[in-house]
Amino acid sequence: MAFLDAGSTRVKGRIPLQARDRFERAILAGDEAEALAIVDQLMADPTVSLQAVLQDLLAPTQVRLGEAWLRGDVLIGVEHRGTAICEAALDRAFSARPIIRPHPGSRGRVALLGAEGEWHALAGRMVTRVWQALGWNVTALTPSLPAGDAVEMIKAGGFRMVGVSCSVTANLIGAIGVIDGLRALGVRVLVGGRAFAEHAPLWERVGADAQADDAFQAEVVLGRWQDLGPQGPRPSAIPQWRADEAERLLSRHEGILTTALTLA
């Protein structure tokens, strides 16, 4: 998942484990009516926040569904069906408990990109809905978008702030390419998603300006940036990152060699 990955900060009104289990069973069974009924019950509880439903119910369920497919435990059709039900549940949650902002789009403009290879659109939809509800004018360029195309669209749109989502480690190369291109434009880059969370120091080393664990945390960062003036083009961070990686690998191999010689 993108900015709403499982493992993000728990929030007020945490979803009861029983409700989460019921929801996951409904998703696996393809029972949309049951899944939506569970969301309705949760949203009728004033102690349960919309943020909790997104972060503690929908996001982790989607993550576990994707993991089940990767392990071969469920068919791809089951994964697609479950994603469609989660999308319906997302709409139901926002309808029941909208975040009210008097002037939509008044906070400013931001684009959200999916790194090349990131084909799941639900996480991007969650982030987009949250940011829009909090007053941002969001241009969603998800799912997967090649780095060159992404940079050209950001340049043409005149964006000063961009979110880049990457949930799969294998897609980090595409994400890094986008970050590099956006730096050259002078765009501030906010990254999120499971891949960046699992490789925590990486975002800074490849030149991103901030990393967020969820859409709400990311929105706070955007708010801070909105008060800053534009910045000029910046050099690539990739050569230094590559040099650091080469040094790290060399040190690791030297350690292995030393150990081998000691044991010989």
Side-chain angles (χ1 to χ4, degrees), residues 240-252 254:
Q240 184 60 52
W241 170 62
R242 285 176 174 165
D244 291 343
E245 283 298 294
E247 183 177 352
R248 182 183 66 83
L249 290 173
L250 179 60
S251 298
R252 181 182 177 187
E254 286 179 344

Side-chain angles (χ1 to χ4, degrees), residues 32 36 83-93 125:
E32 181 172 341
L36 295 182
T83 297
I85 296 173
C86 283
E87 288 183 354
L90 173 67
D91 292 337
R92 183 67 66 93
R125 282 197 61 203

Side-chain angles (χ1 to χ4, degrees), residues 83-251:
T83 297
I85 296 173
C86 283
E87 288 183 354
L90 173 67
D91 292 337
R92 183 67 66 93
F94 267 95
S95 297
R97 194 84 60 76
I99 305 173
I100 300 174
R101 286 291 182 271
H103 303 293
S106 61
R107 298 293 306 279
R109 299 173 65 238
V110 61
L112 178 64
L113 300 174
E116 187 169 8
E118 294 286 310
W119 288 107
H120 289 288
L122 179 59
R125 282 197 61 203
M126 287 188 188
V127 175
T128 298
R129 291 288 295 270
V130 169
W131 289 356
Q132 287 175 336
L134 293 172
W136 293 90
N137 181 350
V138 184
T139 297
L141 301 174
T142 58
S144 174
L145 195 62
D149 292 356
V151 172
E152 283 301 314
M153 293 193 72
I154 296 305
K155 181 179 180 180
F159 292 94
R160 294 194 299 113
M161 302 182 294
V162 174
V164 177
S165 174
C166 186
S167 60
V168 180
T169 298
N171 298 331
L172 279 171
I173 295 300
I176 292 169
V178 170
I179 293 168
D180 204 51
L182 295 177
R183 282 177 59 87
L185 296 178
V187 174
R188 287 187 172 88
V189 184
L190 169 66
V191 300
R194 196 172 188 179
F196 283 108
E198 291 178 346
H199 302 276
L202 181 64
W203 66 268
E204 193 169 9
R205 291 166 56 201
V206 299
D209 298 288
Q211 183 264 342
D213 292 325
D214 59 65
F216 294 89
Q217 186 184 99
E219 194 273 335
V220 173
V221 175
L222 295 178
R224 292 201 300 264
W225 287 355
Q226 184 67 358
D227 297 330
L228 301 177
Q231 59 183 0
R234 294 172 290 171
S236 173
I238 289 181
Q240 184 60 52
W241 170 62
R242 285 176 174 165
D244 291 343
E245 283 298 294
E247 183 177 352
R248 182 183 66 83
L249 290 173
L250 179 60
S251 298

Side-chain angles (χ1 to χ4, degrees), residues 48-71:
V48 177
S49 68
L50 173 62
Q51 187 175 355
V53 170
L54 298 183
Q55 292 179 206
D56 282 358
L57 183 72
L58 299 185
T61 296
Q62 187 67 25
V63 168
R64 282 189 282 274
L65 182 61
E67 290 174 343
W69 171 71
L70 285 173
R71 293 192 304 268

Side-chain angles (χ1 to χ4, degrees), residues 35-52:
L36 295 182
I38 294 167
V39 171
D40 288 340
Q41 292 168 9
L42 291 169
M43 298 311 294
D45 184 344
T47 69
V48 177
S49 68
L50 173 62
Q51 187 175 355

